[in-house]
Amino acid sequence: MSSSLFELPAIETLSSSISLRQQDELTLVVIDHPTFRAAFSLQGGQLIAWQPLEQAPVIWLSDNSAFTQGKAIRGGVPICWPWFGPAGKPSHGFARTAEWSLATHEESAEQVTLSMVLQQSAETLALWPHDFTLTLLATLSRDSCELQLTIIGDFSSTAALHSYFHVAQSEKVSVSGLGETYIDKVKDNALCSQSSPQTYHGEVDRIFTHPAAESVIDDPILGRKLLITHKGNSDVVTWNPGAELSTSMADMCNEGYKTMVCVETARIHQPFITTKATPAEMSVRITPLTR
């Protein structure tokens, strides 16, 4: 799916590397830079592709994901806010299905930066009675991708940058730097611990509550490690649906679980407390390390 995004015709050219394109019902910001390529959906302010030149894709996107207004995109980096999980309706909040605005964009020979903004509307106020401003600042290059979320308003909220990563074979990868203590969502929120890196054999859905500042996905088949640097978070979530759940998900092909793992920068057990004078920030920086 992600490769076909770069074959869509441009509906508006913003710079030599940046254009607006249409995939079904959604408007995309597509970046075709000399050193990397990437794409965002304005619905959700969501990164849906990033691939440095001459490397395998870093970000995973489902081949079955619908590009439909009001429906979440399966893959990329959905922005879960102002709540994570089933704390409200819709699940994972409304930011990932709301329409964001492209505020700024700049490019150089080395990188592209852009920002997108979401503010309250009649639709959001009906779901959550607060005025707010969300800004996503993205800085992308061949060497790294950084996403910084800024939250402004008078309220408490939880959030996640729900990152889906492309891997060669999920059962062969391991993730370190998650910490030891976790809440196991597969086992009725049981509090558990482990000392070894996380692996993926069957459904995995865990909230690590004392993670390190950096997580590392080790993919021996691709010969690549992904260094994931978290800031402003209290938790790191990791998820893979496994075979049984994957086959029940309409927006994921039956074997989609084999080529992805989620490692999510999250703020769950310590909610953000913000005011207009004291915004909150949370970010993830992704750095591929080839062997």
Side-chain angles (χ1 to χ4, degrees), residues 204-226:
V204 173
D205 191 355
R206 298 177 175 182
I207 302 173
F208 284 84
T209 55
H210 295 85
E214 295 180 339
S215 305
V216 179
I217 301 175
D218 189 354
D219 190 333
I221 296 178
L222 285 181
R224 178 172 75 182
K225 293 184 178 182
L226 296 177

Side-chain angles (χ1 to χ4, degrees), residues 135-157:
T135 301
L136 182 74
L137 176 63
T139 305
L140 306 103
S141 70
R142 185 185 189 279
D143 298 324
S144 66
C145 169
E146 183 169 1
L147 304 174
Q148 178 179 295
L149 182 68
T150 302
I151 305 166
I152 300 175
D154 294 300
F155 42 71
S156 170
S157 64

